[in-house]
Amino acid sequence: MYARSTTVTGQAGMVEAGIAHVKDTVMPQVRAMDGCVGLSLIADRESGRCIVTTAWRDEAAMRGTADAVMPLREAAASMFGGETSVNEWEVAYLHRDHRSAEGACTRVTWTEGDPATIDRAVDMFKSSIMPRVEMLDGFCSASMLVDRASGRCCVTASYDSTEAMGRARDAAMGLRADLAQETGMRITEVAEFELALAHLDVPELV
């Protein structure tokens, strides 16, 4: 499985309209494309930063839709009132404890490191980090996206509510430190978002 994430640095006052546009216009068109297995949108309403992620059956399906999604991306950027940046990933891990509901939130951690350590990082995340993440109160789902060429990773953990995510904040900090120490990866950013749209049909990848 592969994923394309589009980060929109928009205007806080335009986030609601942007989310509605993605839900009503972008999502139906993207999900109709061959090989698409879903779409999610996370949003920081205060800053205006939003990330739309589309999931694809394989790398060929993702790359084959690049031209088709470009005008959709440009229109969405206009609705959010901002600029976009795009990243493409391999979905190395995905686990759902249960489906998210209204009010769900996510914490996203970006890392970078030696590309040669990617497999080690994925294995360590699966075997050591996830068993502890699953024990956190309110845990909903987690994924790990990797860019093997650059050595970058994107880890997302979703929770049932803002309160649940807040209660897990200290534990999550320790888990990030363990991952960095064991793999030599550098944590470049951690951010928290509202899970505004979650329509992913990606199967479990564990």
Side-chain angles (χ1 to χ4, degrees), residues 60-76:
M62 180 179 69
R63 299 200 181 283
T65 58
D67 291 341
V69 300
M70 191 176 298
L72 298 177
R73 184 184 304 124
E74 292 173 351

Side-chain angles (χ1 to χ4, degrees), residues 93-97 121-136 139-144 155-159 175 179 204-206:
Y93 179 91
L94 175 69
H95 169 64
R96 296 185 190 89
D97 181 80
V122 172
D123 289 342
M124 198 262 183
F125 182 76
K126 292 179 181 180
S127 63
S128 180
I129 302 298
M130 275 309 302
R132 289 181 281 169
V133 172
E134 290 181 86
M135 295 176 65
L136 298 175
F139 167 73
C140 181
S141 64
S143 65
M144 185 177 195
V155 176
T156 300
S158 299
Y159 298 86
L175 293 171
L179 181 64
E204 291 268 316
L205 296 170
V206 296

Side-chain angles (χ1 to χ4, degrees), residues 37-79:
V37 289
L39 176 149
S40 69
L41 189 159
I42 58 177
D44 181 341
R45 293 178 184 272
E46 291 186 4
S47 70
R49 182 186 184 189
C50 298
I51 303 175
V52 180
T53 301
T54 52
W56 303 90
R57 179 183 59 228
D58 50 36
E59 187 175 14
M62 180 179 69
R63 299 200 181 283
T65 58
D67 291 341
V69 300
M70 191 176 298
L72 298 177
R73 184 184 304 124
E74 292 173 351
S78 177
M79 292 299 298

Side-chain angles (χ1 to χ4, degrees), residues 141-158:
S141 64
S143 65
M144 185 177 195
L145 310 181
V146 302
D147 180 343
R148 293 183 180 276
S150 68
R152 292 181 300 116
C153 297
C154 175
V155 176
T156 300
S158 299

Side-chain angles (χ1 to χ4, degrees), residues 175-198:
L175 293 171
R176 288 195 299 271
D178 288 347
L179 181 64
Q181 182 177 1
E182 290 293 327
T183 64
M185 303 187 80
R186 298 177 297 280
I187 296 170
T188 57
E189 185 184 2
V190 180
E192 296 180 350
F193 299 86
E194 169 194 341
L195 182 56
L197 295 173

